[in-house]
Amino acid sequence: MIKMNFKYEKYKNGIEITACENTEENIVIPQQIDGQKVIKIGSQVFKRNKIKTVLLPEGIEEIGKKAFSLSSVKEINFPESLKIIEESAFDSCSSLEKAFLGQNTQYIGSKAFSWCTALSEVSFPPKDFEIGEKAFSFCNSLKNVVFKEGISQIGKGAFSVCGGIERLVLPKSVKKINVQAFEGCENLKEIILSEGLKEIDGWAFRQCSATENIYIPDTVEKIGEGAFLGCENLKNVHISENITEIDGWVFGKCSCLKQITVPYGVKKIGDFAFSRCKAVKNFNIPDTVESVGASAFSVCDSAEEIKFGKNFKHFEKRAVEMSHNLKTVAIPYTAEEITTDTFYDCPKLNGINVLTENTSIYVPFTPQGLEFIKTLKNGLDYSKYDSLFYSANKEMKTNMAFFRLFENTCQNETAEEAYKKHLFENSLEIAEDLIEKNDIAKIAFMGETKLLPKENTEYLIEFSSKKDSLCTGYLIEYKHENFGKVQSARNRFRL
């Protein structure tokens, strides 16, 4: 039927407009036709139309698929009676500026407002309703999104690639953020997640490159794969205390993240979970973690130390790879087989601190050392340990010597002589390293065991003073007690 340039269909509960022959820029949808209320704008009615403004009457309950897609509409009201906005209803309406949705909104379909590139402000009702997949994706001018208490989920990709959003506040009613919900919001600097949130799904905030801080409330029980992947300016993060797994790529490519605390209770760290976290220096993995996935700590350029807890069991292949400044790893002796591929292309890794029931054993990172670790399940055989000394490099030998001598575990005279000889012959280089680390205990040990030659002490005092090291005082005292007074110390050194 046709009336007032509208084609329509009659149903028991009202009228659906199915087409419009109007050529005007301003459209007023009648509240009634033939004595029945208009309840729906049908599919594609105004698709590609040159209309500028639309006035919808109270009584409209539904806007159909692609009803206004690709049109020139700039202004439209959403009456309180409106319940459903179907798929792509306003898709690619590049002139539409605002969308203030009514109190009875129940459903916003997939891509309903996708590519509305002029849309700058959206407001939602204070109730639970569904936001469909990519409903507001690619709305690059969208800056102000107001979520009110009541909404329980943010749909899949709902606000993906909305480059204008700078601040996001989610109310306590939100329980789940679905896959890719805010992916690619490159200017999203502030994210406030409220207590009550249960799940952050995969890729939810991927490549939100302006985000600097994120507090994941302790009500969150699951963080999906890649949730914060590529948040390259993220500096601080609090992870919920109630998660049991850090999934793959969750914090991958967070290159400004300097510190991260894995909560006690996490059992598994997934593939690439911390890959390319290039600013983190130390990873302390709690006792609850049992397994680490492939490349979980790959290309962590600043990482110098990774400590795994006493219940750790299993590494996937190349779990730690291409972390070129990694020097020390601590693992329990009960961990499953460790190979050179476990720590692939970590050129500065010289040893592994193996945690036993009673102590920590430094083991050189060599094929022989890895074989030795396997034998620790049967107890520590010191003769086998000492045999590793001859295939170790200089730094490994130093660490072995301190383990056996400083920890007072060496009872083999031949081995003890070899260890002391190494420390004495390389005392200058070793002492410089200890001074830079402020390791007074080991410096004092070298002094007490006469492993600091007289000819080096004056230089070491000067070196320590320049480094403003805590070792300076001991070295001055050591020289005074063993080799006479330190000449002109008051004038030469600032202590």
Side-chain angles (χ1 to χ4, degrees):
M1 302 179 72
I2 302 175
K3 194 166 186 176
M4 295 185 297
N5 296 323
F6 293 115
K7 293 182 179 180
Y8 58 95
E9 294 288 340
K10 286 186 177 182
Y11 299 98
K12 288 182 179 180
N13 59 335
I15 298 289
E16 175 185 349
I17 293 176
T18 57
C20 179
E21 296 178 354
N22 185 73
T23 58
E24 298 294 325
E25 291 186 346
N26 304 307
I27 295 288
V28 177
I29 304 298
Q31 190 168 27
Q32 292 187 344
I33 296 177
D34 291 344
Q36 286 186 280
K37 66 178 181 179
V38 177
I39 59 170
K40 181 177 180 180
I41 308 295
S43 298
Q44 304 189 48
V45 172
F46 295 100
K47 184 178 179 180
R48 299 184 186 276
N49 201 294
K50 300 299 182 181
I51 54 175
K52 299 294 185 183
T53 65
V54 179
L55 181 61
L56 299 177
E58 281 296 332
I60 288 283
E61 297 178 2
E62 186 174 348
I63 297 174
K65 292 181 180 180
K66 300 183 179 180
F68 294 91
S69 66
L70 296 164
S71 73
S72 300
V73 63
K74 183 178 181 180
E75 295 181 19
I76 185 169
N77 68 308
F78 296 96
E80 293 298 321
S81 58
L82 184 63
K83 298 177 181 178
I84 297 172
I85 301 173
E86 291 191 1
E87 177 183 339
S88 300
F90 295 90
D91 183 18
S92 301
C93 291
S94 57
S95 297
L96 184 63
E97 295 179 349
K98 295 180 181 180
F100 299 137
L101 301 177
Q103 301 292 311
N104 292 301
T105 304
Q106 297 175 358
Y107 173 72
I108 301 172
S110 62
K111 299 183 180 180
F113 293 89
S114 182
W115 288 101
C116 291
T117 52
L119 189 65
S120 62
E121 191 171 358
V122 175
S123 180
F124 299 109
K127 57 172 288 185
D128 196 13
F129 64 97
E130 183 178 349
I131 302 177
E133 182 176 349
K134 297 183 179 180
F136 294 89
S137 61
F138 297 97
C139 293
N140 289 321
S141 296
L142 189 57
K143 292 184 177 181
N144 190 10
V145 183
V146 180
F147 295 100
K148 298 172 184 176
E149 198 67 37
I151 184 171
S152 64
Q153 293 194 34
I154 308 298
K156 180 180 178 181
F159 296 89
S160 57
V161 201
C162 289
I165 299 178
E166 296 177 355
R167 186 171 187 264
L168 173 67
V169 180
L170 295 182
K172 293 180 180 179
S173 58
V174 174
K175 305 302 179 187
K176 182 177 181 179
I177 302 171
N178 278 286
V179 174
Q180 300 175 303
F182 297 96
E183 179 185 29
C185 293
E186 60 185 8
N187 288 304
L188 181 55
K189 187 173 184 178
E190 184 178 10
I191 300 172
I192 299 176
L193 307 176
S194 297
E195 296 286 337
L197 182 65
K198 295 289 186 183
E199 182 177 353
I200 301 172
D201 215 338
W203 324 106
F205 294 96
R206 178 168 63 172
Q207 293 181 335
C208 291
S209 53
T211 304
E212 295 183 358
N213 304 288
I214 185 73
Y215 184 95
I216 302 171
D218 290 337
T219 53
V220 172
E221 298 172 352
K222 185 179 187 302
I223 303 173
E225 183 177 11
F228 297 94
L229 172 63
C231 293
E232 58 189 27
N233 280 301
L234 185 63
K235 295 179 175 65
N236 300 291
V237 61
H238 167 84
I239 305 175
S240 167
E241 299 287 343
N242 284 306
I243 64 168
T244 58
E245 179 178 353
I246 296 179
D247 212 336
W249 282 114
V250 168
F251 295 102
K253 298 185 180 180
C254 292
S255 54
C256 286
L257 193 60
K258 292 184 177 181
Q259 184 176 356
I260 191 159
T261 301
V262 177
Y264 190 90
V266 171
K267 293 184 178 181
K268 180 181 179 181
I269 296 174
D271 298 350
F272 298 94
F274 298 104
S275 176
R276 292 171 175 79
C277 288
K278 295 184 177 183
V280 180
K281 287 189 175 182
N282 299 291
F283 289 95
N284 290 306
I285 310 304
D287 289 342
T288 54
V289 172
E290 297 178 355
S291 67
V292 167
S295 302
F297 297 94
S298 61
V299 201
C300 294
D301 289 346
S302 296
E304 296 180 358
E305 182 179 43
I306 304 177
K307 293 181 179 179
F308 295 94
K310 63 183 180 181
N311 295 311
F312 183 79
K313 296 177 181 178
H314 178 69
F315 288 110
E316 291 291 341
K317 187 176 181 180
R318 295 190 178 184
V320 183
E321 67 170 338
M322 293 185 286
S323 294
H324 292 154
N325 284 299
L326 183 64
K327 297 177 181 178
T328 306
V329 174
I331 59 171
Y333 76 100
T334 51
E336 295 174 7
E337 184 174 353
I338 302 166
T339 69
T340 52
D341 264 356
T342 304
F343 303 99
Y344 177 79
D345 193 17
C346 295
K348 291 186 179 181
L349 180 61
N350 66 75
I352 297 174
N353 289 323
V354 182
L355 309 175
T356 66
E357 297 292 343
N358 301 312
T359 189
S360 173
I361 304 168
Y362 172 85
V363 179
F365 183 60
T366 62
Q368 297 90 334
L370 295 178
E371 286 298 314
F372 171 77
I373 291 174
K374 296 178 185 178
T375 70
L376 289 173
K377 294 179 181 179
N378 300 317
L380 174 55
D381 185 329
Y382 283 113
S383 62
K384 288 183 179 179
Y385 181 84
D386 293 334
S387 68
L388 301 175
F389 185 78
Y390 303 100
S391 61
N393 64 30
K394 185 188 293 186
E395 188 173 2
M396 294 174 185
K397 286 179 178 179
T398 299
N399 289 323
M400 289 184 70
F402 277 124
F403 168 66
R404 292 287 269 133
L405 298 173
F406 182 68
E407 300 293 337
N408 198 27
T409 62
C410 192
Q411 298 176 352
N412 181 301
E413 289 185 6
T414 303
E416 183 176 0
E417 184 179 344
Y419 289 133
K420 285 184 175 180
K421 181 181 179 183
H422 169 77
L423 292 180
F424 185 80
E425 290 178 348
N426 297 279
S427 62
L428 183 62
E429 181 182 345
I430 293 169
E432 284 179 338
D433 182 57
L434 295 175
I435 286 167
E436 290 189 335
K437 293 176 179 177
N438 286 312
D439 196 336
I440 297 177
K442 287 180 180 175
I443 281 287
F445 169 78
M446 292 185 72
E448 290 166 4
T449 51
K450 308 302 181 185
L451 297 175
L452 290 176
K454 177 180 179 180
E455 61 268 23
N456 292 340
T457 54
E458 192 74 26
Y459 165 77
L460 289 174
I461 292 170
E462 185 172 359
F463 179 81
S464 183
S465 180
K466 287 180 179 179
K467 295 293 183 180
D468 201 21
S469 172
L470 299 176
C471 298
T472 308
Y474 171 79
L475 290 166
I476 291 175
E477 183 180 350
Y478 170 77
K479 178 167 183 174
H480 178 74
E481 291 180 354
N482 291 276
F483 310 118
K485 292 183 180 180
V486 181
Q487 297 180 1
S488 305
R490 181 172 57 185
N491 298 324
R492 293 175 57 200
F493 309 117
R494 182 168 56 87
L495 303 180

